[in-house]
Amino acid sequence: MTKAAAPSIDHLSESELIALLDPALLPKHIAIIMDGNGRWAELRGLPRIAGHAEGIKSVREVITLCRDLGIGALTIYAFSQENWKRPVSEINALMLLLEQYLQSEMDALIEKGARFRAIGQVHALPPSALNWVRKVERETAHLDKLMLTVALSYGGRSEIVDAVRRLAQDCKDGKVQPDAIDETLLEGYLSTQGLPDPDLLIRTSGETRISNFLLWQLAYTEMYFTPTLWPDFRRREALLALLDYQRRDRRFGAVPTPHFPPSGL
Ligand code: IPE
Ligand code: IPE
Ligand code: MG
């Protein structure tokens, strides 16, 4: 629920938008479903992969913005388990793009102090892409300004199944007592272990579904859906999402704090 009708901010410049942000109310962790690359390309009569390539520029801008604003964690959905259903030619082109991105971006990530980590069934990636994933993970492992998590061959349900399987094994081995299992313990088996839950989920391209992303972690996340296609989602669009987020009243099931005492009290 928003607090009051928002005044129009469409005409404001980027620096004016930044000035409107309350630094104390920034999300600690943003998750993004980067959707609409294919449509962006099709609208221009280009092959779908041209949309994916253009989308990388948005990734770059959003990482830089998070870094500039001191947002500590960004998790982006780059390839879902379900995306293996796509034509082999698109999958191959995406994997090549991933590899090229990691190769060309590693120094920039280090310079930004960003730690890169992949989540998902990464063993399913082609070996050369997986090698780059592991290399960039290693080279950035000591950095802590921004935790950049990239979901690759990721599915939220299989993440939970995998966590439960390992937890069951630990019970069987006597390392964990079933009575000791609680939410915190189970969270420790998820691939996002150590990260706070996302405060804000952004999905571009007008789709209003989660598509098997971070099913456990999004329990109380604020959702922001925009029709903007991912390659058009740049710094300004991200600032608009942050301002929208800052207008939310996050109650977590409690009652809102009254602005004045109810009469009679
Ligand atoms: C998102 O863009 C990128 C991936 C899923 C890899 P899409 O490729 O889904 O683009 P649309 O939704 O078809 O426009
Ligand atoms: C979700 O987008 C996955 C990623 C952005 C990587 P999709 O385009 O694959 O999702 P659906 O098919 O619209 O649910
Ligand atoms: Mg899509």
Side-chain angles (χ1 to χ4, degrees):
M1 194 182 94
T2 52
K3 284 172 187 160
S8 173
I9 49 176
D10 294 348
H11 60 289
L12 298 182
S13 68
E14 274 180 25
S15 50
E16 287 169 325
L17 292 173
I18 289 183
L20 284 179
L21 284 173
D22 178 348
L25 283 182
L26 285 171
K28 290 188 172 46
H29 182 182
I30 301 178
I32 307 184
I33 302 176
M34 311 182 290
D35 199 11
N37 294 349
R39 278 164 280 173
W40 184 93
E42 279 155 22
L43 280 169
R44 288 161 179 77
L46 298 169
R48 291 176 58 84
I49 193 66
H52 298 311
E54 189 66 19
I56 286 185
K57 296 181 191 164
S58 302
V59 171
R60 226 174 258 137
E61 287 204 11
V62 171
I63 291 174
T64 305
L65 181 67
C66 286
R67 181 67 187 83
D68 291 351
L69 295 176
I71 293 168
L74 173 68
T75 299
I76 52 179
Y77 205 5
F79 194 83
S80 71
Q81 274 187 336
E82 290 74 20
N83 289 149
W84 292 111
K85 294 178 200 157
R86 294 191 178 198
V88 175
S89 56
E90 181 171 347
I91 294 173
N92 288 344
L94 273 167
M95 293 300 151
L96 192 61
L97 210 54
L98 167 69
E99 203 177 316
Q100 288 166 348
Y101 168 77
L102 291 170
Q103 203 166 347
S104 68
E105 217 64 12
M106 188 168 77
D107 290 344
L109 290 175
I110 293 171
E111 200 240 317
K112 289 187 178 103
R115 178 175 183 178
F116 167 88
R117 240 167 34 101
I119 57 169
Q121 311 275 332
V122 284
H123 55 81
L125 300 180
S128 53
L130 183 56
N131 280 343
W132 272 100
V133 165
R134 294 302 183 217
K135 183 174 167 64
V136 181
E137 280 181 338
R138 273 195 313 275
E139 300 287 331
T140 62
H142 59 293
L143 302 168
D144 62 0
K145 294 280 183 293
L146 170 68
M147 186 71 211
L148 173 66
T149 306
V150 181
L152 291 165
S153 188
Y154 174 89
R157 284 191 173 176
S158 58
E159 178 187 34
I160 294 170
V161 169
D162 181 60
V164 169
R165 189 185 301 115
R166 284 183 293 113
L167 178 52
Q169 186 64 50
D170 282 352
C171 286
K172 197 173 160 212
D173 295 346
K175 293 182 196 156
V176 174
Q177 293 305 311
D179 283 352
I181 298 172
D182 59 9
E183 292 182 11
T184 310
L185 192 120
L186 182 57
E187 262 163 17
Y189 285 80
L190 297 175
S191 59
T192 50
Q193 180 254 327
L195 282 175
D197 285 342
D199 300 296
L200 170 63
L201 172 80
I202 297 169
R203 182 168 187 152
T204 55
S205 91
E207 309 299 350
T208 47
R209 56 180 166 261
I210 304 230
S211 301
N212 204 11
F213 192 39
L214 300 178
L215 296 182
W216 171 283
Q217 298 86 340
L218 295 177
Y220 247 112
T221 300
E222 295 296 327
M223 308 280 169
Y224 179 82
F225 297 109
T226 170
T228 303
L229 303 173
W230 177 248
D232 292 326
F233 191 92
R234 297 288 161 90
R235 200 174 161 89
R236 183 184 172 82
E237 290 284 331
L239 288 168
L240 293 175
L242 287 171
L243 284 164
D244 188 276
Y245 166 80
Q246 292 202 331
R247 298 181 57 78
R248 311 282 178 95
D249 191 5
R250 301 190 75 190
R251 293 188 293 281
F252 298 98
V255 291
T257 316
H259 294 298
F260 48 85
S263 58
L265 290 179

